[in-house]
Amino acid sequence: MAAYLLRRLLLIIPTLFGIIAINFVVVQFAPGGPVEQMIAELKGHGGAAMGRMSGEGGHEAAAGQAGLYRGASGLDPHIIADIRRMFGFDKPPLVRFWIMLKGYLRFDLGRSFFRDQTVLQLILQKMPVSISLGLWSTLLVYLVSIPLGIAKAVHDGSRFDVITSVAVLIGYAIPSFLFAILLVVLFAGGSFFEWFPLRGLVSENWWSLSWPERIRDYLWHMVLPVTSLVVGGFASLTMLTKNCFLEEVRKHYVLTAAAKGASLRRILYGHIFRNAMLLVVAGFPSALLGILFTSALLVEIIFSLDGLGLLGFESAIARDYPVMFGTLYIYTLLGLLLQILGDFLYTVVDPRIDFEARR
């Protein structure tokens, strides 16, 4: 197992390089880059854009060219050259790619084009929101789905199975953002009750509260957004758990255990559980990554939670390439590490699995 994990860790390097290289090449052909956006802003709001250019440092010449701006006939070539230099586009693509890679080796993700912060600072600022949504949602999805799936397998075909299947299908059919809007209308002061806060991860006076009150305030803010994610996320895992249990129930070792007089509880949790839970438990890291980085964008917007999903979306719209590639680098690195963790969980759930075995 140790040799396998070492090989997987070493494979992270070429995988990261390939993913970043492919996305870098694709971005080179994407229209409307930061240079074009700055030029458009100068044509529409010359003063504000010029202030941003001069505030970057080392661009006094660009500010000095403000008097040469001609809205109808375009910008002075010197201003355009300074804009390209400000964003680093005065260098060839290969040089820019090499500079970016050298920074990533030092975990220097660069500086945002349009925010006066480094990419790492932005990610660390947004991380608490995404971790809160992803971690609590994934834990609750598993805590609901596994017992429910086991119960559905035990009572397969019963009225309980039919009713819960209908509930699962309804939850699966309702998008999380639509359910989030419903929760806001019902419980966050929309039209009925005002039981829960509408925005933010914590209250404005959070720092002045005692630690028990801080924990309560944080959890109170998490109720509605986490609920909206859990309702739409437990359906597939519930059915996967049920189907895994039903598949194991039909196997000979279960019949043998029953013939020997083992109780139902002993058969379920002593024999079936480990085999049936192999796919479910080992998929926890990827499920966490999915909720953490891909499923919470609209929920973040609805509940005014400034997380990584919203940061990535805004960066893509603004063509803020350092933030785009920096978040891609972090997402990919975490994804690869969590995949290795998933392989490790396979061996924890079922020690008979040996990744070193080869035919």
Side-chain angles (χ1 to χ4, degrees):
M1 187 63 183
Y4 172 79
L5 292 177
L6 180 61
R7 287 198 302 270
R8 289 293 303 271
L9 289 172
L10 292 176
L11 278 174
I12 288 179
I13 299 174
T15 306
L16 268 176
F17 176 83
I19 292 174
I20 294 175
I22 292 172
N23 283 273
F24 185 85
V25 171
V26 170
V27 164
Q28 304 310 306
F29 298 98
V35 174
E36 289 78 5
Q37 292 205 16
M38 178 63 79
I39 291 174
E41 186 176 346
L42 280 170
K43 289 181 178 181
H45 308 282
M50 282 298 177
R52 181 188 300 173
M53 290 176 61
S54 60
E56 290 289 335
H59 302 290
E60 292 81 359
Q65 295 289 343
L68 300 177
Y69 167 66
R70 300 182 297 276
S73 57
L75 295 174
D76 187 274
H78 293 89
I79 296 179
I80 297 178
D82 284 329
I83 293 174
R84 293 181 62 84
R85 189 180 305 111
M86 179 176 67
F87 291 120
F89 283 86
D90 57 325
K91 303 179 180 67
L94 286 178
V95 174
R96 287 187 278 117
F97 182 68
W98 175 244
I99 293 174
M100 184 177 68
L101 285 183
K102 288 195 299 183
Y104 285 177
L105 291 176
R106 304 188 305 269
F107 226 76
D108 178 11
L109 306 182
R111 194 173 189 85
S112 170
F113 283 159
F114 304 112
R115 304 169 188 248
D116 190 22
Q117 288 179 291
T118 65
V119 176
L120 191 58
Q121 287 175 334
L122 287 171
I123 292 176
L124 292 178
Q125 286 179 5
K126 317 299 182 182
M127 189 69 79
V129 170
S130 295
I131 289 178
S132 297
L133 290 176
L135 186 60
W136 290 118
S137 301
T138 306
L139 287 176
L140 287 176
V141 164
Y142 270 76
L143 289 175
V144 171
S145 299
I146 292 178
L148 181 59
I150 295 174
K152 286 174 64 64
V154 172
H155 302 91
D156 183 38
S158 66
R159 180 180 297 179
F160 170 80
D161 184 35
V162 174
I163 294 175
T164 53
S165 294
V166 172
V168 165
L169 289 175
I170 292 175
Y172 184 74
I174 300 177
S176 58
F177 74 90
L178 190 60
F179 193 76
I181 295 175
L182 176 64
L183 292 178
V184 169
V185 173
L186 292 177
F187 303 114
S191 300
F192 296 91
F193 306 101
E194 194 172 354
W195 293 347
F196 297 94
L198 179 59
R199 57 177 56 86
L201 192 63
V202 292
S203 300
E204 295 182 356
N205 64 333
W206 188 79
W207 291 104
S208 63
L209 302 176
S210 63
W211 273 110
E213 292 175 333
R214 289 183 184 182
I215 295 173
R216 178 185 175 278
D217 181 77
Y218 164 75
L219 294 176
W220 202 242
H221 279 76
M222 284 288 98
V223 169
L224 294 187
V226 169
T227 302
S228 63
L229 290 174
V230 168
V231 167
F234 76 95
S236 58
L237 187 59
T238 299
M239 299 310 297
L240 175 62
T241 304
K242 175 188 174 182
N243 293 334
C244 288
F245 262 76
L246 288 179
E247 183 179 356
E248 294 295 323
V249 164
R250 300 185 181 97
K251 293 185 177 179
H252 292 297
Y253 74 90
V254 177
L255 298 177
T256 302
K260 289 182 178 181
S263 65
L264 178 61
R265 183 178 183 86
R266 173 67 179 172
I267 293 174
L268 283 177
Y269 297 101
H271 297 278
I272 298 177
F273 186 82
R274 173 168 289 183
N275 296 326
M277 288 295 98
L278 186 60
L279 292 176
V280 176
V281 175
F284 180 84
S286 58
L288 173 61
L289 187 70
I291 295 180
L292 192 61
F293 294 127
T294 61
S295 304
L297 171 60
L298 294 177
V299 174
E300 288 181 12
I301 294 174
I302 292 170
F303 291 101
S304 300
L305 298 171
D306 194 6
L308 289 174
L310 187 58
L311 174 66
F313 175 75
E314 292 176 345
S315 301
I317 295 298
R319 300 296 195 272
D320 197 342
Y321 291 155
V323 179
M324 288 172 56
F325 285 114
T327 52
L328 174 67
Y329 176 75
I330 296 295
Y331 295 169
T332 307
L333 181 60
L334 285 176
L336 294 172
L337 291 175
L338 287 176
Q339 285 180 1
I340 297 175
L341 178 60
D343 290 345
F344 177 73
L345 286 178
Y346 275 113
T347 62
V348 173
V349 176
D350 191 349
R352 296 171 299 176
I353 295 178
D354 183 10
F355 287 102
E356 296 297 332
R358 295 288 186 271
R359 289 186 179 272

